[in-house]
Coordinates of all heavy atoms in Angstrom, one line a residue:
S250 N 7.9 -7.0 -14.3 CA 9.1 -6.2 -14.4 C 9.2 -5.4 -15.6 O 9.9 -4.3 -15.6 CB 10.3 -7.1 -14.3 OG 10.2 -7.8 -13.0
Y251 N 8.7 -5.8 -16.7 CA 9.0 -5.2 -18.0 C 8.5 -3.7 -18.0 O 7.3 -3.5 -17.8 CB 8.5 -6.0 -19.2 CG 8.8 -5.4 -20.6 CD1 10.0 -5.3 -21.0 CD2 7.8 -4.8 -21.3 CE1 10.3 -4.8 -22.3 CE2 7.9 -4.2 -22.5 CZ 9.3 -4.3 -23.0 OH 9.6 -3.7 -24.3
L252 N 9.5 -2.8 -18.2 CA 9.1 -1.4 -18.3 C 8.3 -0.9 -17.1 O 7.4 -0.1 -17.1 CB 8.3 -1.0 -19.6 CG 9.1 -1.1 -20.9 CD1 8.2 -0.7 -22.1 CD2 10.4 -0.1 -20.8
N253 N 8.7 -1.6 -16.0 CA 8.0 -1.3 -14.7 C 9.0 -0.9 -13.6 O 9.4 -1.7 -12.7 CB 7.1 -2.5 -14.2 CG 6.3 -2.2 -13.1 OD1 6.2 -1.1 -12.5 ND2 5.7 -3.2 -12.5
P254 N 9.5 0.3 -13.5 CA 10.5 0.8 -12.5 C 9.7 1.0 -11.2 O 10.4 1.3 -10.2 CB 11.0 2.1 -13.0 CG 9.9 2.6 -13.9 CD 9.2 1.4 -14.5
Y255 N 8.4 0.8 -11.1 CA 7.7 1.0 -9.9 C 7.4 -0.2 -9.1 O 6.6 -0.2 -8.2 CB 6.3 1.7 -10.2 CG 6.3 2.7 -11.4 CD1 5.9 2.4 -12.6 CD2 7.0 4.0 -11.2 CE1 6.0 3.4 -13.7 CE2 7.2 4.9 -12.2 CZ 6.6 4.6 -13.5 OH 6.7 5.5 -14.4
R256 N 8.2 -1.3 -9.5 CA 7.8 -2.6 -8.9 C 8.2 -2.7 -7.4 O 7.9 -3.8 -6.8 CB 8.6 -3.6 -9.7 CG 10.1 -3.4 -9.8 CD 10.8 -4.4 -10.8 NE 12.2 -4.2 -11.0 CZ 12.8 -3.3 -11.9 NH1 12.0 -2.5 -12.6 NH2 14.0 -3.2 -11.9
E257 N 8.8 -1.7 -6.8 CA 9.1 -1.8 -5.4 C 8.3 -0.5 -4.7 O 8.6 -0.2 -3.6 CB 10.4 -1.7 -5.0 CG 11.2 -3.0 -5.3 CD 12.5 -3.2 -4.7 OE1 13.5 -2.5 -5.2 OE2 12.7 -3.9 -3.7
W258 N 7.3 0.0 -5.3 CA 6.6 1.1 -4.8 C 5.3 0.6 -4.1 O 5.2 -0.6 -4.0 CB 6.1 2.1 -6.0 CG 7.2 2.9 -6.5 CD1 8.6 2.7 -6.2 CD2 7.1 4.1 -7.3 NE1 9.3 3.6 -7.0 CE2 8.5 4.5 -7.6 CE3 6.1 4.8 -7.8 CZ2 8.8 5.7 -8.4 CZ3 6.4 5.9 -8.7 CH2 7.7 6.3 -8.9
I259 N 4.5 1.5 -3.6 CA 3.5 1.1 -2.5 C 2.3 0.2 -3.0 O 1.6 -0.3 -2.2 CB 3.0 2.3 -1.8 CG1 2.4 2.0 -0.5 CG2 2.1 3.2 -2.7 CD1 2.0 3.2 0.4
G260 N 2.1 0.1 -4.3 CA 0.9 -0.4 -4.9 C 0.4 -1.6 -4.3 O -0.7 -1.8 -3.9
A261 N 1.4 -2.6 -4.1 CA 0.9 -4.0 -3.6 C 0.5 -3.9 -2.2 O -0.3 -4.6 -1.7 CB 2.0 -5.0 -3.8
Q262 N 1.2 -3.0 -1.4 CA 0.9 -2.8 0.0 C -0.5 -2.4 0.3 O -1.0 -2.8 1.4 CB 1.9 -1.8 0.6 CG 2.0 -1.6 2.0 CD 3.2 -0.9 2.5 OE1 4.2 -1.3 2.4 NE2 2.9 0.4 3.0
I263 N -1.1 -1.7 -0.6 CA -2.5 -1.2 -0.3 C -3.6 -2.1 -0.8 O -4.7 -1.8 -0.7 CB -2.6 0.3 -1.0 CG1 -2.7 0.1 -2.5 CG2 -1.5 1.2 -0.6 CD1 -3.1 1.4 -3.2
R264 N -3.1 -3.2 -1.4 CA -4.1 -4.2 -2.0 C -4.4 -5.3 -1.1 O -5.2 -6.2 -1.5 CB -3.5 -4.8 -3.3 CG -3.2 -3.7 -4.2 CD -3.0 -4.1 -5.7 NE -2.3 -5.3 -5.9 CZ -1.2 -5.5 -6.6 NH1 -0.5 -4.4 -7.0 NH2 -0.6 -6.6 -6.8
V265 N -3.8 -5.4 0.1 CA -3.9 -6.7 0.9 C -5.0 -6.8 1.9 O -5.3 -7.9 2.3 CB -2.5 -6.9 1.6 CG1 -1.3 -6.9 0.6 CG2 -2.3 -5.9 2.7
D266 N -5.7 -5.8 2.2 CA -6.6 -5.8 3.3 C -7.7 -6.9 3.1 O -8.1 -7.7 4.1 CB -7.2 -4.5 3.6 CG -6.1 -3.5 4.0 OD1 -5.2 -3.2 3.2 OD2 -6.2 -3.0 5.1
G267 N -8.3 -7.0 2.0 CA -9.4 -7.9 1.8 C -9.0 -9.4 2.0 O -9.6 -10.2 2.5
Y268 N -7.7 -9.7 1.6 CA -7.2 -11.0 1.9 C -6.9 -11.2 3.3 O -7.2 -12.3 3.9 CB -5.8 -11.1 1.1 CG -6.0 -11.0 -0.5 CD1 -5.4 -10.0 -1.1 CD2 -6.7 -11.9 -1.2 CE1 -5.6 -9.7 -2.5 CE2 -6.8 -11.8 -2.6 CZ -6.2 -10.7 -3.2 OH -6.3 -10.5 -4.6
A269 N -6.2 -10.2 4.0 CA -5.9 -10.4 5.4 C -7.1 -10.5 6.2 O -7.1 -11.2 7.2 CB -5.1 -9.1 5.8
Y270 N -8.2 -9.9 5.9 CA -9.4 -10.1 6.7 C -9.9 -11.6 6.6 O -10.4 -12.2 7.6 CB -10.6 -9.2 6.1 CG -10.3 -7.7 6.2 CD1 -11.1 -6.8 5.5 CD2 -9.3 -7.2 7.0 CE1 -11.0 -5.5 5.6 CE2 -9.1 -5.8 7.1 CZ -9.9 -5.0 6.3 OH -9.7 -3.7 6.4
G271 N -9.8 -12.2 5.4 CA -10.2 -13.6 5.2 C -9.2 -14.5 6.0 O -9.7 -15.6 6.4
A272 N -8.1 -14.1 6.3 CA -7.1 -14.9 7.0 C -6.9 -14.3 8.4 O -5.8 -14.5 9.0 CB -5.7 -14.8 6.3

Side-chain angles (χ1 to χ4, degrees):
S250 299
Y251 182 68
L252 292 178
N253 187 7
Y255 320 108
R256 57 190 178 271
E257 290 190 287
W258 288 15
I259 198 175
Q262 184 168 296
I263 72 173
R264 304 196 318 244
V265 301
D266 295 62
Y268 300 112
Y270 298 164

